[in-house]
Amino acid sequence: MSAESWTDPRPTETPRAPREAQGGPPPGVLAVVFTGLFLAGLVLSTVLADGSPFPSPFGETGEIVAYFRAHPGAVQVSGALQFAASIPLAVYAATVSARLHRLGVRAPGATIALAGGLLAAGFLACCGLVSWTLSRTEVLDLPPLVRALQYLAFATGGPGHVVTLGLLVAGIAVPGLLAGLLPRALAVTGLVLATVAELATLTLLFDGAALLLPLARFTCLGWLIAAGFLLPRRRTRKEH
């Protein structure tokens, strides 16, 4: 019997195309979820407090303690939602960093985005947990402790969170500009917003600089949503 007459009883397998690397959850959606949870904490806490805004850490101790004693439920909800918002932010940072690496970014930008995002998420989580602590009756019986915890919540959720959020924006904007991964106008805007966020560090030295916090925070949130939807999954142009 000739060699050609022998047949392999096993079925011939069709070669499989290599799978594309997993892209993770859509970063734009993660940014929307993060922003939605954060804003929900602000809105719901204000509604539950009968329209009274969260007290400034620069106010009088008596007024601050009175607010926390009168609205523990609002403070608890605010802290819980801030903590919840930190989770999609951390996932956003990891997803965007991985995507930048897959897009060929070898500069430190991708790592800076990851570090900034994880730090921002960590500071926001700490702020949420400290705020939750301020809703406990045992703590509210000690005015000096209430004041100290509010300062800590402000430091972590204010300059701590906003400054590191600026690092996340910068880590995406710089390679987005240099490698043409984002529209030029969006990338340049991101660099400006990141600079404003870094200047929020001055809040630790000058009380008046606290105005930079909401300015940088909310504009960076909008920028992260836009960048999350516009950052491509793969390169569409060949570099020369």
Side-chain angles (χ1 to χ4, degrees):
M1 185 178 292
S2 63
E4 288 77 10
S5 64
W6 288 96
T7 58
D8 191 341
R10 294 173 299 178
T12 304
E13 295 184 358
T14 304
R16 295 180 180 180
R19 288 185 178 182
E20 183 180 355
Q22 293 295 320
V29 174
L30 290 170
V32 170
V33 173
F34 156 60
T35 301
L37 288 171
F38 182 82
L39 294 179
L42 295 180
V43 173
L44 287 178
S45 63
T46 303
V47 171
L48 292 174
D50 301 322
S52 300
F54 204 81
S56 167
F58 308 117
E60 295 293 332
T61 300
E63 296 178 356
I64 293 172
V65 175
Y67 174 89
F68 287 117
R69 287 177 175 173
H71 309 292
V75 177
Q76 185 179 42
V77 168
S78 174
L81 287 175
Q82 286 190 32
F83 177 79
S86 69
I87 306 305
L89 176 57
V91 179
Y92 178 98
T95 302
V96 168
S97 176
R99 181 170 295 187
L100 289 174
H101 281 299
R102 286 199 309 275
L103 289 170
V105 175
R106 297 293 178 260
T111 305
I112 291 174
L114 178 61
L118 293 181
L119 284 171
F123 277 123
L124 186 61
C126 288
C127 176
L129 294 176
V130 173
S131 298
W132 178 86
T133 304
L134 283 166
S135 70
R136 314 311 295 173
T137 304
E138 301 84 350
V139 173
L140 299 178
D141 291 334
L142 303 170
L145 179 59
V146 171
R147 191 63 186 261
L149 288 174
Q150 194 201 12
Y151 275 132
L152 180 59
F154 171 76
T156 53
H161 171 67
V162 170
V163 172
T164 51
L165 194 68
L167 282 181
L168 171 60
V169 172
I172 302 171
V174 171
L177 177 64
L178 298 180
L181 301 175
L182 292 173
R184 182 177 179 83
L186 181 65
V188 171
T189 300
L191 294 178
V192 173
L193 297 181
T195 301
V196 175
E198 301 314 301
L199 289 175
T201 303
L202 295 173
T203 305
L204 299 174
L205 300 175
F206 309 103
D207 294 350
L211 294 174
L212 294 172
L213 294 174
L215 173 62
R217 186 196 307 273
F218 294 111
T219 52
C220 284
L221 291 181
W223 191 92
L224 289 172
I225 292 174
F229 283 112
L230 293 177
L231 191 66
R233 287 181 175 272
R234 61 185 66 85
R235 285 186 181 273
T236 57
R237 300 184 301 178
K238 292 184 178 181
E239 296 186 5
H240 299 285

